[in-house]
Amino acid sequence: MLRYGLLGGTRPRLPWEFFVTIGGAGLAAGGLFVALFPFWSTYPVVGLIETAAFGLAGTVLIAVGGVRRRRTPTRT
């Protein structure tokens, strides 16, 4: 931690694969939520909000991963 805090180093960047993986997991969680809880108990609005939150978060993370992939230099 000395390198990051006291010596002014920078933290390593997360690779683009991390964002794509977590984004895909978010989209899968939203899909599974719809499949496993189709009637959403007595509050269907809460189910719609939760599904939209998973979908939005997953889409944003996949988009961030795509941007990072385009900016990452290729290794040969």
Side-chain angles (χ1 to χ4, degrees), residues 14-21 61 64-66 68-69 72:
L14 289 172
W16 64 269
E17 294 94 349
F18 174 81
F19 292 101
V20 172
T21 302
L61 285 169
V64 168
R68 285 239 175 146
R69 183 172 186 213
T72 303

Side-chain angles (χ1 to χ4, degrees), residues 18-36:
F18 174 81
F19 292 101
V20 172
T21 302
I22 299 299
L27 291 177
L32 286 173
F33 184 78
V34 171
L36 296 176

Side-chain angles (χ1 to χ4, degrees), residues 6-64:
L6 297 176
L7 298 177
T10 59
R11 291 183 182 265
R13 292 180 47 159
L14 289 172
W16 64 269
E17 294 94 349
F18 174 81
F19 292 101
V20 172
T21 302
I22 299 299
L27 291 177
L32 286 173
F33 184 78
V34 171
L36 296 176
F37 300 103
F39 300 111
W40 293 323
S41 181
T42 57
Y43 302 108
V45 174
V46 175
L48 290 173
I49 291 170
E50 189 167 352
T51 303
F54 279 126
L56 180 66
T59 304
V60 167
L61 285 169
I62 289 174
V64 168

